mmCIF file of all heavy atoms in Angstrom:
data_model
loop_
_atom_site.group_PDB
_atom_site.id
_atom_site.type_symbol
_atom_site.label_atom_id
_atom_site.label_comp_id
_atom_site.label_asym_id
_atom_site.label_seq_id
_atom_site.Cartn_x
_atom_site.Cartn_y
_atom_site.Cartn_z
ATOM 1 N N LYS A 1 -10.782 -8.210 6.914
ATOM 2 C CA LYS A 1 -11.364 -8.079 5.577
ATOM 3 C C LYS A 1 -11.377 -6.632 5.097
ATOM 4 O O LYS A 1 -12.433 -6.061 4.787
ATOM 5 C CB LYS A 1 -12.781 -8.667 5.552
ATOM 6 C CG LYS A 1 -12.834 -10.150 5.867
ATOM 7 C CD LYS A 1 -14.249 -10.693 5.828
ATOM 8 C CE LYS A 1 -14.268 -12.189 6.144
ATOM 9 N NZ LYS A 1 -15.631 -12.754 6.154
ATOM 10 N N PRO A 2 -10.191 -6.023 5.040
ATOM 11 C CA PRO A 2 -10.132 -4.611 4.626
ATOM 12 C C PRO A 2 -10.504 -4.443 3.159
ATOM 13 O O PRO A 2 -10.208 -5.296 2.319
ATOM 14 C CB PRO A 2 -8.663 -4.250 4.852
ATOM 15 C CG PRO A 2 -7.921 -5.541 4.704
ATOM 16 C CD PRO A 2 -8.839 -6.583 5.285
ATOM 17 N N ASP A 3 -11.177 -3.334 2.868
ATOM 18 C CA ASP A 3 -11.483 -2.996 1.479
ATOM 19 C C ASP A 3 -10.324 -2.234 0.833
ATOM 20 O O ASP A 3 -10.090 -2.349 -0.365
ATOM 21 C CB ASP A 3 -12.750 -2.133 1.410
ATOM 22 C CG ASP A 3 -13.966 -2.871 1.923
ATOM 23 O OD1 ASP A 3 -14.301 -3.920 1.339
ATOM 24 O OD2 ASP A 3 -14.566 -2.410 2.907
ATOM 25 N N LEU A 4 -9.624 -1.452 1.653
ATOM 26 C CA LEU A 4 -8.559 -0.587 1.139
ATOM 27 C C LEU A 4 -7.514 -0.393 2.226
ATOM 28 O O LEU A 4 -7.841 -0.301 3.410
ATOM 29 C CB LEU A 4 -9.146 0.784 0.757
ATOM 30 C CG LEU A 4 -8.162 1.891 0.369
ATOM 31 C CD1 LEU A 4 -7.528 1.585 -0.988
ATOM 32 C CD2 LEU A 4 -8.861 3.246 0.333
ATOM 33 N N CYS A 5 -6.251 -0.317 1.823
ATOM 34 C CA CYS A 5 -5.172 0.026 2.744
ATOM 35 C C CYS A 5 -4.474 1.284 2.241
ATOM 36 O O CYS A 5 -4.216 1.411 1.035
ATOM 37 C CB CYS A 5 -4.166 -1.116 2.874
ATOM 38 S SG CYS A 5 -4.841 -2.585 3.668
ATOM 39 N N VAL A 6 -4.187 2.195 3.152
ATOM 40 C CA VAL A 6 -3.517 3.449 2.819
ATOM 41 C C VAL A 6 -2.194 3.497 3.554
ATOM 42 O O VAL A 6 -2.130 3.247 4.761
ATOM 43 C CB VAL A 6 -4.388 4.671 3.197
ATOM 44 C CG1 VAL A 6 -3.614 5.968 2.956
ATOM 45 C CG2 VAL A 6 -5.675 4.670 2.387
ATOM 46 N N VAL A 7 -1.136 3.805 2.820
ATOM 47 C CA VAL A 7 0.219 3.838 3.368
ATOM 48 C C VAL A 7 0.769 5.245 3.245
ATOM 49 O O VAL A 7 0.662 5.877 2.191
ATOM 50 C CB VAL A 7 1.136 2.854 2.613
ATOM 51 C CG1 VAL A 7 2.557 2.913 3.159
ATOM 52 C CG2 VAL A 7 0.586 1.433 2.700
ATOM 53 N N ALA A 8 1.369 5.767 4.324
ATOM 54 C CA ALA A 8 2.005 7.085 4.301
ATOM 55 C C ALA A 8 3.241 7.047 5.195
ATOM 56 O O ALA A 8 3.122 6.846 6.400
ATOM 57 C CB ALA A 8 1.040 8.169 4.780
ATOM 58 N N ALA A 9 4.416 7.187 4.590
ATOM 59 C CA ALA A 9 5.680 7.221 5.336
ATOM 60 C C ALA A 9 5.813 6.034 6.279
ATOM 61 O O ALA A 9 6.189 6.185 7.431
ATOM 62 C CB ALA A 9 5.780 8.534 6.126
ATOM 63 N N TYR A 10 5.508 4.850 5.771
ATOM 64 C CA TYR A 10 5.519 3.669 6.634
ATOM 65 C C TYR A 10 6.928 3.150 6.886
ATOM 66 O O TYR A 10 7.258 2.720 7.981
ATOM 67 C CB TYR A 10 4.643 2.572 6.029
ATOM 68 C CG TYR A 10 4.488 1.374 6.943
ATOM 69 C CD1 TYR A 10 4.074 1.543 8.264
ATOM 70 C CD2 TYR A 10 4.767 0.096 6.493
ATOM 71 C CE1 TYR A 10 3.934 0.457 9.105
ATOM 72 C CE2 TYR A 10 4.629 -1.001 7.323
ATOM 73 C CZ TYR A 10 4.220 -0.815 8.632
ATOM 74 O OH TYR A 10 4.094 -1.895 9.460
ATOM 75 N N GLY A 11 7.771 3.154 5.875
ATOM 76 C CA GLY A 11 9.168 2.787 6.085
ATOM 77 C C GLY A 11 9.470 1.301 6.098
ATOM 78 O O GLY A 11 10.592 0.899 6.395
ATOM 79 N N LYS A 12 8.472 0.470 5.801
ATOM 80 C CA LYS A 12 8.702 -0.979 5.729
ATOM 81 C C LYS A 12 8.169 -1.515 4.414
ATOM 82 O O LYS A 12 7.185 -1.005 3.878
ATOM 83 C CB LYS A 12 8.011 -1.706 6.891
ATOM 84 C CG LYS A 12 8.597 -1.382 8.263
ATOM 85 C CD LYS A 12 7.889 -2.174 9.343
ATOM 86 C CE LYS A 12 8.468 -1.840 10.727
ATOM 87 N NZ LYS A 12 7.798 -2.604 11.808
ATOM 88 N N ILE A 13 8.836 -2.538 3.899
ATOM 89 C CA ILE A 13 8.383 -3.173 2.665
ATOM 90 C C ILE A 13 7.242 -4.130 2.977
ATOM 91 O O ILE A 13 7.329 -4.945 3.894
ATOM 92 C CB ILE A 13 9.546 -3.920 1.986
ATOM 93 C CG1 ILE A 13 10.635 -2.916 1.565
ATOM 94 C CG2 ILE A 13 9.047 -4.699 0.775
ATOM 95 C CD1 ILE A 13 11.873 -3.562 0.995
ATOM 96 N N LEU A 14 6.175 -4.010 2.231
ATOM 97 C CA LEU A 14 5.004 -4.871 2.448
ATOM 98 C C LEU A 14 5.201 -6.202 1.728
ATOM 99 O O LEU A 14 5.399 -6.229 0.512
ATOM 100 C CB LEU A 14 3.754 -4.177 1.915
ATOM 101 C CG LEU A 14 3.313 -2.928 2.682
ATOM 102 C CD1 LEU A 14 2.394 -2.088 1.816
ATOM 103 C CD2 LEU A 14 2.618 -3.318 3.972
ATOM 104 N N PRO A 15 5.146 -7.322 2.449
ATOM 105 C CA PRO A 15 5.238 -8.629 1.793
ATOM 106 C C PRO A 15 4.132 -8.793 0.772
ATOM 107 O O PRO A 15 3.003 -8.318 0.950
ATOM 108 C CB PRO A 15 5.079 -9.612 2.961
ATOM 109 C CG PRO A 15 5.510 -8.843 4.174
ATOM 110 C CD PRO A 15 5.059 -7.438 3.921
ATOM 111 N N SER A 16 4.425 -9.493 -0.304
ATOM 112 C CA SER A 16 3.487 -9.610 -1.425
ATOM 113 C C SER A 16 2.157 -10.238 -1.017
ATOM 114 O O SER A 16 1.120 -9.947 -1.622
ATOM 115 C CB SER A 16 4.125 -10.403 -2.568
ATOM 116 O OG SER A 16 4.519 -11.688 -2.130
ATOM 117 N N ARG A 17 2.162 -11.105 -0.003
ATOM 118 C CA ARG A 17 0.909 -11.777 0.369
ATOM 119 C C ARG A 17 -0.132 -10.802 0.913
ATOM 120 O O ARG A 17 -1.325 -11.105 0.926
ATOM 121 C CB ARG A 17 1.179 -12.885 1.394
ATOM 122 C CG ARG A 17 1.762 -12.430 2.717
ATOM 123 C CD ARG A 17 1.913 -13.615 3.659
ATOM 124 N NE ARG A 17 2.544 -13.249 4.935
ATOM 125 C CZ ARG A 17 2.622 -14.066 5.974
ATOM 126 N NH1 ARG A 17 2.106 -15.286 5.909
ATOM 127 N NH2 ARG A 17 3.212 -13.681 7.097
ATOM 128 N N TYR A 18 0.316 -9.621 1.365
ATOM 129 C CA TYR A 18 -0.623 -8.614 1.858
ATOM 130 C C TYR A 18 -1.368 -7.921 0.717
ATOM 131 O O TYR A 18 -2.512 -7.482 0.876
ATOM 132 C CB TYR A 18 0.109 -7.541 2.674
ATOM 133 C CG TYR A 18 0.479 -7.964 4.069
ATOM 134 C CD1 TYR A 18 1.594 -8.753 4.314
ATOM 135 C CD2 TYR A 18 -0.284 -7.561 5.170
ATOM 136 C CE1 TYR A 18 1.946 -9.136 5.588
ATOM 137 C CE2 TYR A 18 0.059 -7.938 6.454
ATOM 138 C CZ TYR A 18 1.170 -8.728 6.654
ATOM 139 O OH TYR A 18 1.514 -9.110 7.925
ATOM 140 N N LEU A 19 -0.713 -7.766 -0.419
ATOM 141 C CA LEU A 19 -1.190 -6.861 -1.456
ATOM 142 C C LEU A 19 -2.518 -7.271 -2.066
ATOM 143 O O LEU A 19 -3.292 -6.421 -2.510
ATOM 144 C CB LEU A 19 -0.130 -6.726 -2.552
ATOM 145 C CG LEU A 19 1.231 -6.182 -2.090
ATOM 146 C CD1 LEU A 19 2.176 -6.060 -3.275
ATOM 147 C CD2 LEU A 19 1.078 -4.843 -1.377
ATOM 148 N N ASP A 20 -2.801 -8.560 -2.103
ATOM 149 C CA ASP A 20 -4.032 -9.036 -2.735
ATOM 150 C C ASP A 20 -5.214 -9.142 -1.780
ATOM 151 O O ASP A 20 -6.320 -9.493 -2.204
ATOM 152 C CB ASP A 20 -3.789 -10.409 -3.379
ATOM 153 C CG ASP A 20 -2.809 -10.343 -4.536
ATOM 154 O OD1 ASP A 20 -2.773 -9.303 -5.208
ATOM 155 O OD2 ASP A 20 -2.072 -11.333 -4.751
ATOM 156 N N VAL A 21 -4.988 -8.833 -0.513
ATOM 157 C CA VAL A 21 -6.081 -8.994 0.467
ATOM 158 C C VAL A 21 -7.166 -7.933 0.303
ATOM 159 O O VAL A 21 -8.346 -8.274 0.172
ATOM 160 C CB VAL A 21 -5.519 -9.016 1.901
ATOM 161 C CG1 VAL A 21 -6.664 -9.022 2.927
ATOM 162 C CG2 VAL A 21 -4.611 -10.224 2.112
ATOM 163 N N PRO A 22 -6.833 -6.641 0.308
ATOM 164 C CA PRO A 22 -7.907 -5.644 0.191
ATOM 165 C C PRO A 22 -8.456 -5.551 -1.239
ATOM 166 O O PRO A 22 -7.699 -5.635 -2.215
ATOM 167 C CB PRO A 22 -7.217 -4.330 0.588
ATOM 168 C CG PRO A 22 -5.770 -4.553 0.344
ATOM 169 C CD PRO A 22 -5.521 -6.005 0.566
ATOM 170 N N LYS A 23 -9.742 -5.370 -1.350
ATOM 171 C CA LYS A 23 -10.425 -5.316 -2.644
ATOM 172 C C LYS A 23 -9.859 -4.228 -3.545
ATOM 173 O O LYS A 23 -9.685 -4.429 -4.750
ATOM 174 C CB LYS A 23 -11.921 -5.074 -2.406
ATOM 175 C CG LYS A 23 -12.750 -4.920 -3.674
ATOM 176 C CD LYS A 23 -14.209 -4.666 -3.331
ATOM 177 C CE LYS A 23 -15.044 -4.468 -4.582
ATOM 178 N NZ LYS A 23 -16.460 -4.199 -4.256
ATOM 179 N N TYR A 24 -9.562 -3.072 -2.950
ATOM 180 C CA TYR A 24 -9.073 -1.931 -3.732
ATOM 181 C C TYR A 24 -7.559 -1.740 -3.611
ATOM 182 O O TYR A 24 -7.029 -0.708 -4.016
ATOM 183 C CB TYR A 24 -9.797 -0.648 -3.302
ATOM 184 C CG TYR A 24 -11.287 -0.701 -3.561
ATOM 185 C CD1 TYR A 24 -12.183 -0.982 -2.525
ATOM 186 C CD2 TYR A 24 -11.799 -0.484 -4.834
ATOM 187 C CE1 TYR A 24 -13.556 -1.032 -2.764
ATOM 188 C CE2 TYR A 24 -13.166 -0.530 -5.082
ATOM 189 C CZ TYR A 24 -14.042 -0.811 -4.034
ATOM 190 O OH TYR A 24 -15.390 -0.859 -4.281
ATOM 191 N N GLY A 25 -6.897 -2.729 -3.057
ATOM 192 C CA GLY A 25 -5.446 -2.696 -2.995
ATOM 193 C C GLY A 25 -4.881 -1.752 -1.948
ATOM 194 O O GLY A 25 -5.574 -1.300 -1.034
ATOM 195 N N PHE A 26 -3.597 -1.460 -2.090
ATOM 196 C CA PHE A 26 -2.873 -0.544 -1.210
ATOM 197 C C PHE A 26 -2.562 0.744 -1.979
ATOM 198 O O PHE A 26 -1.990 0.691 -3.082
ATOM 199 C CB PHE A 26 -1.534 -1.159 -0.774
ATOM 200 C CG PHE A 26 -1.615 -2.141 0.351
ATOM 201 C CD1 PHE A 26 -2.121 -3.419 0.153
ATOM 202 C CD2 PHE A 26 -1.163 -1.797 1.620
ATOM 203 C CE1 PHE A 26 -2.175 -4.332 1.191
ATOM 204 C CE2 PHE A 26 -1.214 -2.707 2.661
ATOM 205 C CZ PHE A 26 -1.725 -3.976 2.455
ATOM 206 N N LEU A 27 -2.912 1.887 -1.396
ATOM 207 C CA LEU A 27 -2.553 3.178 -1.971
ATOM 208 C C LEU A 27 -1.482 3.825 -1.102
ATOM 209 O O LEU A 27 -1.581 3.829 0.124
ATOM 210 C CB LEU A 27 -3.767 4.106 -2.064
ATOM 211 C CG LEU A 27 -4.927 3.656 -2.960
ATOM 212 C CD1 LEU A 27 -5.956 4.775 -3.055
ATOM 213 C CD2 LEU A 27 -4.441 3.256 -4.341
ATOM 214 N N ASN A 28 -0.466 4.369 -1.758
ATOM 215 C CA ASN A 28 0.642 4.999 -1.045
ATOM 216 C C ASN A 28 0.666 6.492 -1.350
ATOM 217 O O ASN A 28 0.593 6.909 -2.503
ATOM 218 C CB ASN A 28 1.967 4.360 -1.487
ATOM 219 C CG ASN A 28 3.156 4.944 -0.755
ATOM 220 O OD1 ASN A 28 3.053 5.371 0.381
ATOM 221 N ND2 ASN A 28 4.308 4.957 -1.408
ATOM 222 N N VAL A 29 0.765 7.309 -0.288
ATOM 223 C CA VAL A 29 0.965 8.744 -0.441
ATOM 224 C C VAL A 29 2.474 8.980 -0.436
ATOM 225 O O VAL A 29 3.122 8.906 0.613
ATOM 226 C CB VAL A 29 0.280 9.528 0.698
ATOM 227 C CG1 VAL A 29 0.465 11.029 0.502
ATOM 228 C CG2 VAL A 29 -1.203 9.186 0.771
ATOM 229 N N HIS A 30 3.032 9.228 -1.609
ATOM 230 C CA HIS A 30 4.486 9.305 -1.762
ATOM 231 C C HIS A 30 4.920 10.754 -1.995
ATOM 232 O O HIS A 30 4.385 11.424 -2.884
ATOM 233 C CB HIS A 30 4.924 8.436 -2.946
ATOM 234 C CG HIS A 30 6.400 8.449 -3.176
ATOM 235 N ND1 HIS A 30 7.270 7.667 -2.440
ATOM 236 C CD2 HIS A 30 7.172 9.161 -4.035
ATOM 237 C CE1 HIS A 30 8.504 7.897 -2.850
ATOM 238 N NE2 HIS A 30 8.466 8.790 -3.818
ATOM 239 N N PRO A 31 5.915 11.252 -1.229
ATOM 240 C CA PRO A 31 6.292 12.663 -1.315
ATOM 241 C C PRO A 31 7.295 12.994 -2.411
ATOM 242 O O PRO A 31 8.385 13.514 -2.152
ATOM 243 C CB PRO A 31 6.863 12.933 0.080
ATOM 244 C CG PRO A 31 7.473 11.639 0.482
ATOM 245 C CD PRO A 31 6.581 10.586 -0.090
ATOM 246 N N SER A 32 6.940 12.701 -3.658
ATOM 247 C CA SER A 32 7.682 13.184 -4.826
ATOM 248 C C SER A 32 6.788 12.975 -6.041
ATOM 249 O O SER A 32 5.757 12.301 -5.950
ATOM 250 C CB SER A 32 9.013 12.440 -5.013
ATOM 251 O OG SER A 32 8.826 11.183 -5.643
ATOM 252 N N ILE A 33 7.186 13.561 -7.159
ATOM 253 C CA ILE A 33 6.463 13.308 -8.407
ATOM 254 C C ILE A 33 7.112 12.105 -9.070
ATOM 255 O O ILE A 33 8.164 12.207 -9.696
ATOM 256 C CB ILE A 33 6.522 14.533 -9.344
ATOM 257 C CG1 ILE A 33 5.936 15.774 -8.662
ATOM 258 C CG2 ILE A 33 5.781 14.249 -10.645
ATOM 259 C CD1 ILE A 33 4.454 15.710 -8.386
ATOM 260 N N LEU A 34 6.506 10.958 -8.899
ATOM 261 C CA LEU A 34 7.068 9.720 -9.449
ATOM 262 C C LEU A 34 7.072 9.763 -10.977
ATOM 263 O O LEU A 34 6.189 10.387 -11.575
ATOM 264 C CB LEU A 34 6.261 8.523 -8.944
ATOM 265 C CG LEU A 34 6.433 8.221 -7.465
ATOM 266 C CD1 LEU A 34 5.366 7.228 -6.994
ATOM 267 C CD2 LEU A 34 7.825 7.681 -7.156
ATOM 268 N N PRO A 35 8.112 9.160 -11.612
ATOM 269 C CA PRO A 35 9.077 8.205 -11.054
ATOM 270 C C PRO A 35 10.330 8.818 -10.419
ATOM 271 O O PRO A 35 11.263 8.096 -10.093
ATOM 272 C CB PRO A 35 9.452 7.378 -12.289
ATOM 273 C CG PRO A 35 9.370 8.348 -13.418
ATOM 274 C CD PRO A 35 8.196 9.232 -13.094
ATOM 275 N N LYS A 36 10.363 10.137 -10.268
ATOM 276 C CA LYS A 36 11.533 10.761 -9.647
ATOM 277 C C LYS A 36 11.525 10.518 -8.143
ATOM 278 O O LYS A 36 10.501 10.649 -7.485
ATOM 279 C CB LYS A 36 11.526 12.261 -9.928
ATOM 280 C CG LYS A 36 12.811 12.979 -9.550
ATOM 281 C CD LYS A 36 12.756 14.434 -9.974
ATOM 282 C CE LYS A 36 14.093 15.132 -9.705
ATOM 283 N NZ LYS A 36 14.063 16.547 -10.126
#
């Protein structure tokens, strides 16, 4: 029953069924200024 998931350089695609589980979703630390 996670409240939040944090992703950093994980290297795998998260299946969609995971995304709705945590209350605050998944946050990704991405090493660029998106959308670049």
Side-chain angles (χ1 to χ4, degrees):
K1 298 180 180 178
D3 297 300
L4 172 71
C5 293
V6 175
V7 179
Y10 186 52
K12 293 182 181 180
I13 296 175
L14 292 161
S16 58
R17 62 177 177 171
Y18 283 80
L19 300 182
D20 294 329
V21 174
K23 177 181 178 181
Y24 297 101
F26 279 74
L27 298 187
N28 182 30
V29 182
H30 180 81
S32 80
I33 302 293
L34 290 167
K36 190 175 185 179

